[in-house]
Amino acid sequence: MKKNNSLKPQIRFKGYDDEWQQAKVREVFNLGNGYTPSKAVTAYWTNGTIPWFRMEDIRENGRVLADAIQHVTPYAVKSSGLFPAGSIIVSTTATIGEHALLIADSLANQRFTVFQTVNRWSWLKANYLLYRFYGLGDWCRRNVNAGGLAAVNISDLQKYDIDFPKEES
């Protein structure tokens, strides 16, 4: 978004003249990590009903994900629970910056960081955030660590600014 210093975008929606607001990722989202349940434990995978997302799911099904190619059972779910519908996953290792909106409670592999809006920001629309994450994905690709497996520093990612209109009353 091209803007001047007052956070008023140059391109405007008809009838909307207010300034936008800005917040850091760490203020808007709780972040979590994806994981891969052990393939050696058949109880985690046999007859699974919970979508478990990988990069292949985005490649096959696009950026709005309702179901996964692979599924896990409730036994595979860690104490932190499922990623709730409305969360956004972003690949922060290997294939950097790819993202998708989850529209089903699910899990994802360790290549993904999950972004869940905190209550104060729950009014932000998931489809708008999905659009804004194209910019976050670009930022991730420009800020990959220099050594070993390509990865984004999550502490730096939490400082990324998200711009959005003020809450509608």
Side-chain angles (χ1 to χ4, degrees):
M1 169 178 70
K2 193 170 183 180
K3 59 188 177 196
N4 63 24
N5 290 335
S6 70
L7 287 179
K8 279 193 175 186
Q10 290 179 352
I11 298 173
R12 305 298 305 190
F13 294 107
K14 185 176 182 176
Y16 189 86
D17 297 326
D18 293 341
E19 287 190 6
W20 283 40
Q21 56 186 324
Q22 190 175 68
K24 305 282 184 203
V25 161
R26 69 174 171 256
E27 298 168 327
V28 179
F29 301 98
N30 287 323
L31 302 184
N33 297 315
Y35 59 93
T36 299
S38 173
K39 300 276 185 167
V41 180
T42 58
Y44 291 167
W45 297 94
T46 304
N47 299 319
T49 57
I50 299 167
W52 178 71
F53 293 108
R54 302 172 300 150
M55 189 58 62
E56 289 79 5
D57 292 290
I58 294 174
R59 290 184 190 122
E60 295 268 331
N61 298 312
R63 299 205 183 265
V64 178
L65 300 174
D67 199 11
I69 297 167
Q70 295 185 0
H71 297 82
V72 296
T73 68
Y75 299 115
V77 179
K78 291 183 177 181
S79 60
S80 55
L82 297 174
F83 303 151
S87 299
I88 296 177
I89 55 174
V90 177
S91 59
T92 52
T93 62
T95 306
I96 304 290
E98 295 298 320
H99 64 284
L101 171 63
L102 304 178
I103 60 172
D105 294 347
S106 53
L107 294 175
N109 74 14
Q110 64 275 9
R111 303 250 187 245
F112 291 104
T113 298
V114 63
F115 292 70
Q116 301 171 45
T117 54
V118 296
N119 287 342
R120 177 175 167 226
W121 300 99
S122 61
W123 62 271
L124 285 170
K125 303 291 184 222
N127 287 339
Y128 171 76
L129 291 172
L130 180 65
Y131 168 76
R132 290 298 298 143
F133 271 55
Y134 281 99
L136 185 135
D138 289 342
W139 181 92
C140 287
R141 284 184 284 279
R142 289 189 311 271
N143 290 279
V144 174
N145 66 10
L149 176 66
V152 174
N153 181 309
I154 300 302
S155 295
D156 291 342
L157 175 64
Q158 291 178 333
K159 298 173 191 170
Y160 179 81
D161 290 319
I162 303 278
D163 298 333
F164 43 88
K166 292 189 177 181
E167 181 176 5
E168 296 179 20
S169 17

